[in-house]
Amino acid sequence: MKISVFGFLTLAFLLFVSIPSATSDSASINFLKCFQSKTNLSVSNSSSNVIFTTTTPSYTSVLQSSAQNLRFVTKSTPKPQLIIRPLDKSHIQAAVTCSKENNINIRIRSGGHDYEGLSFVSHIPFIIVDLSNLRSIKIDIENQISWVDSGTTLGELYHAISEKSNIYGFPAGTCSTVGVGGHLSGGGMGTMCRKYGLAADNVIDARIVDANGRVLNRKSMGEDPFWAIRGGGGASFGIIFSWKIKLVPVPSTVTVFLIQKSLEQGATKFVQKWQLVANKLSKDLFIRVIIGVADSASGNSNKRIVVTFAAVFLGRCEQLLTMMENSFHELGVEQKDCIEMSWIQSVLYVAGFSTEGSYDVLLNRNNTNKSYFKVKLDYVTEPISEEGLEGLWKILVEQESGYMIWTPYSGRMSEISEFEIPFPHRSGNLYEIQYMVTWEAEGETEEHVNWIRRLYGYMTPFVSKNPRSAYLNYRDLDLGINRNENESYGQASDWGLKYFNSNFKRLAQIKAQVDPSNFFWYEQSIPLLLS
């Protein structure tokens, strides 16, 4: 049996408020005593910037500081008893040990971009371990590696790399305020995925605090747990506070273009052709399709579908034009459409920043574009027919704030085995579809969520089947949830197989080995499966 997002939130709130306050207060008081004894930090010591109770003046601002989805910062949203912002690994160890002793649930937050708010919401007494103070980045250009802390944002990482070299980068996401910790542990999709795979494909070591409070690296944790945390969701297995990653070479000059087409300009035909060629192009060429709704060109009240073809090419304009002429000449890309720039400028460009200003904008951790939103995801294995696309446009045009992002696969993504890391969506997938709708007021939630579910329902015949696959970093509680710590592997398979396919079984077996008490539990954490 599945539960809707609204049902889950109602249940979550009722469960939370039904817990006797004396019990939860006692647990949090005992946690504080334990934590202070192990760290010598005091709540009254404001300079520590580590412990935040519900009476701390900055509690609310800290809680909401990196929460991206306003659906989960309402008055009725369950709040943590404490927020811990570790300054080093010993604070993480103390938080784990003291939470375990006092039966307090832990939620782990690095960037706060969890689409369903699970990194800062729980229906049982909980604390947040917020890793935003852990932002060390050590770049070693000579050996093409970096150690980066989980609280670092992607923007901070990209900026640090660019300070050292203009011919190295890292294949991760496009949103600069996403936290490294969650991004790497869930997979990490970006514009260089066809060249270098996911961010998680380029992780070579990690440091984690496990359920026993031990600090482990790749060697001491073992290859099975190390496999699991690269795409299987690190928060199911421990608190990963640092990652060793491989930097990748990029040319000194890359090229971008944006081409927009309306339906009147033949957008449907262009999308059909894109489906046939996007996954066959050079690994150096990434063309994403963004489909949204705009005002009518005639100025009346009617809306129209607009399709944007957004490209990043690891090379110069001349090479790009030759490729487009040979493979996708219908789009009509010309010299005037191309913009040559450095790789770090392309990071700015794709993120929506000016390429003329300082790169320091990437250091801004505050996302000013927060909204209420809902996201869903699909994988496409066969091109969608023209008839299917026309039906899609009819639903999409109903919702001005709804849009889709189609991301091409193949290239390096298809060369890596589906079993190499937990992320299984490799060979056979033409592209992924991210559906998104945003709104401005809490009272509009039901209307917009119902619409995106209807859109998702319409797409059923055109997307992957058995299972209809999903992506952990685009978390979707509509797929199913764990109702309690005793959820069985069979029950959790409703959602787990969609994220991980056959890798879900191995993840559950590893979970049973490294966290047999299921301490790191949440609504979509990996369940236990004894071998």
Side-chain angles (χ1 to χ4, degrees):
M1 184 178 91
K2 294 183 180 178
I3 187 167
S4 72
V5 171
F6 299 115
F8 163 70
L9 291 178
T10 302
L11 173 65
F13 181 60
L14 290 175
L15 286 172
F16 181 81
V17 298
S18 67
I19 296 169
S21 60
T23 302
S24 57
D25 287 348
S26 174
S28 60
I29 290 171
N30 290 335
F31 173 91
L32 277 177
K33 290 178 180 178
C34 174
F35 188 82
Q36 291 170 352
S37 71
K38 292 180 180 299
T39 62
N40 295 318
L41 293 173
S42 170
V43 175
S44 61
N45 181 6
S46 59
S47 64
S48 71
N49 194 33
V50 173
I51 307 170
F52 301 85
T53 71
T54 54
T55 60
T56 304
S58 58
Y59 169 88
T60 299
S61 63
V62 170
L63 174 61
Q64 297 182 0
S65 61
S66 64
Q68 304 301 320
N69 195 337
L70 297 181
R71 288 167 58 207
F72 307 109
V73 292
T74 66
K75 290 182 179 180
S76 61
T77 303
K79 307 296 190 296
Q81 296 173 325
L82 298 163
I83 302 171
I84 303 297
R85 278 185 161 177
L87 295 174
D88 59 51
K89 63 180 181 292
S90 67
H91 298 161
I92 302 175
Q93 291 176 282
V96 169
T97 300
C98 296
S99 294
K100 197 170 185 180
E101 288 180 4
N102 292 282
N103 196 30
I104 298 177
N105 188 230
I106 278 186
R107 296 300 158 112
I108 307 158
R109 182 168 74 175
S110 55
H113 279 255
D114 189 312
Y115 283 169
E116 298 282 15
L118 297 187
S119 63
F120 52 93
V121 176
S122 176
H123 69 254
I124 58 178
F126 75 108
I127 67 168
I128 293 175
V129 176
D130 184 328
L131 301 176
S132 58
N133 282 333
L134 299 178
R135 304 210 298 271
S136 171
I137 308 171
K138 298 177 181 177
I139 306 288
D140 181 351
I141 290 297
E142 182 178 353
N143 292 301
Q144 302 172 34
I145 58 171
S146 173
W147 274 102
V148 54
D149 284 354
S150 287
T152 308
T153 64
L154 295 183
E156 290 170 333
L157 174 59
Y158 296 150
H159 185 280
I161 296 171
S162 71
E163 290 279 281
K164 295 287 187 178
S165 171
N166 67 347
I167 57 170
Y168 284 98
F170 186 67
T174 59
C175 182
S176 62
T177 57
V178 166
V180 162
H183 191 68
L184 293 183
S185 71
M189 180 67 60
T191 61
M192 293 197 291
C193 64
R194 300 190 65 251
K195 178 74 170 182
Y196 295 114
L198 303 174
D201 292 324
N202 293 277
V203 170
I204 52 179
D205 204 344
R207 296 181 180 131
I208 184 173
V209 175
D210 74 356
N212 296 313
R214 300 176 300 175
V215 175
L216 307 173
N217 60 15
R218 177 175 183 172
K219 181 177 180 180
S220 54
M221 78 174 81
E223 286 302 308
D224 277 352
F226 182 65
W227 176 85
I229 64 175
R230 292 174 295 152
S236 290
F237 303 96
I239 301 181
I240 307 157
F241 60 90
S242 191
W243 305 80
K244 187 179 183 181
I245 59 175
K246 292 186 297 184
L247 305 182
V248 299
V250 295
S252 57
T253 300
V254 305
T255 306
V256 301
F257 71 71
L258 283 177
I259 301 287
Q260 283 194 334
K261 299 290 184 181
S262 66
L263 296 188
E264 294 76 15
Q265 294 171 318
T268 303
K269 296 293 186 183
F270 294 131
V271 170
Q272 281 191 297
K273 182 61 182 286
W274 177 89
Q275 292 185 95
L276 298 175
V277 303
N279 68 314
K280 298 181 177 68
L281 296 169
S282 164
K283 296 178 187 178
D284 294 324
L285 179 53
F286 174 92
I287 305 178
R288 177 176 282 173
V289 171
I290 304 161
I291 307 169
V293 181
D295 292 329
S296 171
S298 61
N300 58 37
S301 59
N302 294 329
K303 301 296 180 181
R304 62 185 181 130
I305 297 293
V306 174
V307 179
T308 302
F309 297 86
V312 177
F313 174 61
L314 300 175
R316 304 195 73 99
C317 177
E318 183 178 353
Q319 299 168 277
L320 173 58
L321 291 176
T322 299
M323 287 183 186
M324 293 301 293
E325 178 62 28
N326 292 337
S327 302
F328 198 2
H329 65 88
E330 293 89 345
L331 194 58
V333 180
E334 301 177 7
Q335 180 89 32
K336 62 180 177 60
D337 300 313
C338 297
I339 308 174
E340 292 186 337
M341 57 183 63
S342 66
W343 176 78
I344 192 64
Q345 285 179 310
S346 76
V347 169
L348 294 170
Y349 182 85
V350 172
F353 299 123
S354 168
T355 59
E356 303 299 322
S358 169
Y359 306 158
D360 290 351
V361 67
L362 294 172
L363 302 178
N364 184 359
R365 298 177 62 89
N366 299 317
N367 187 341
T368 58
N369 297 318
K370 297 183 180 184
S371 66
Y372 298 86
F373 65 85
K374 173 67 179 176
V375 173
K376 300 183 79 66
L377 182 122
D378 267 319
Y379 289 96
V380 178
T381 58
E382 296 181 0
I384 301 172
S385 66
E386 182 174 353
E387 181 182 4
L389 292 176
E390 289 174 349
L392 175 58
W393 306 152
K394 290 178 182 178
I395 298 176
L396 193 61
V397 80
E398 295 174 7
Q399 184 54 255
E400 185 176 357
S401 62
Y403 62 95
M404 298 187 296
I405 302 174
W406 295 15
T407 298
Y409 274 36
S410 193
R412 182 64 181 146
M413 289 293 290
S414 292
E415 294 171 356
I416 299 172
S417 166
E418 64 182 291
F419 308 112
E420 183 70 20
I421 65 172
F423 179 95
H425 314 299
R426 306 289 188 168
S427 180
N429 290 296
L430 299 180
Y431 55 94
E432 68 168 42
I433 297 179
Q434 180 181 184
Y435 314 86
M436 189 166 192
V437 63
T438 64
W439 58 98
E440 298 301 321
E442 185 179 357
E444 301 172 7
T445 297
E446 185 172 2
E447 170 196 345
H448 288 84
V449 173
N450 285 342
W451 174 83
I452 198 170
R453 287 174 177 162
R454 184 160 58 87
L455 174 65
Y456 184 76
Y458 168 81
M459 292 295 290
T460 302
F462 309 112
V463 298
S464 61
K465 300 171 180 63
N466 301 316
R468 182 173 183 175
S469 296
Y471 172 31
L472 184 65
N473 273 359
Y474 297 159
R475 192 186 301 284
D476 182 1
L477 293 186
D478 288 357
L479 304 179
I481 64 167
N482 301 325
R483 290 159 187 79
N484 55 58
E485 296 91 331
N486 298 317
E487 191 88 352
S488 71
Y489 170 80
Q491 292 168 317
S493 293
D494 280 350
W495 56 265
L497 292 175
K498 294 179 175 66
Y499 287 137
F500 304 112
N501 295 0
S502 61
N503 288 333
F504 186 54
K505 182 176 182 180
R506 183 181 176 190
L507 284 169
Q509 291 172 334
I510 295 169
K511 170 73 171 180
Q513 295 169 15
V514 303
D515 185 19
S517 67
N518 206 10
F519 172 70
F520 290 108
W521 174 91
Y522 58 92
E523 286 74 13
Q524 282 189 346
S525 61
I526 303 298
L528 308 181
L529 179 63
L530 299 176
S531 299

